[in-house]
Amino acid sequence: MNTVNDLKPGQLGIVLKIECDETLRRRIVDMGITPGAPIIMKRIAPFGDPIQINVRGYDLSIRKSEAQNIKINIEKGNI
């Protein structure tokens, strides 16, 4: 199963589930990242961490360690 870390800039993914401890899960959900939400990879920092994504029309920067807990389905084509 793919995670947000597998997206390349401009790619779209749809959130399938979030697999982590309850504290981190709550933080991720509070940011608007819920099952069914579309995520677009915007940028990856030069050293790979953090990454910038677009969720529900706003940009977020999250750590790669957090992004690996967000399971997605990568959509065909780029945005």
Side-chain angles (χ1 to χ4, degrees):
M1 188 173 293
N2 295 311
T3 67
V4 172
N5 288 335
D6 297 321
L7 289 173
K8 296 186 180 8
Q11 276 189 312
L12 170 70
I14 305 298
V15 177
L16 298 175
K17 60 183 171 178
I18 301 166
E19 293 182 342
C20 55
D21 64 70
E22 192 57 37
T23 304
L24 180 57
R25 178 177 168 68
R26 186 76 207 153
R27 184 172 178 270
I28 290 171
V29 169
D30 286 347
M31 289 188 278
I33 303 170
T34 57
I39 293 180
I40 301 168
M41 175 66 78
K42 299 294 270 189
R43 283 180 230 177
I44 302 171
F47 293 108
D49 206 16
I51 60 174
Q52 183 181 12
I53 58 174
N54 182 283
V55 180
R56 302 181 188 273
Y58 62 95
D59 291 344
L60 294 171
S61 290
I62 62 173
R63 295 182 184 110
K64 287 181 84 172
S65 61
E66 295 169 342
Q68 75 183 6
N69 297 302
I70 305 167
K71 309 301 182 192
I72 61 166
N73 183 30
I74 298 176
E75 299 293 308
K76 300 285 185 199
N78 288 347
I79 299 298

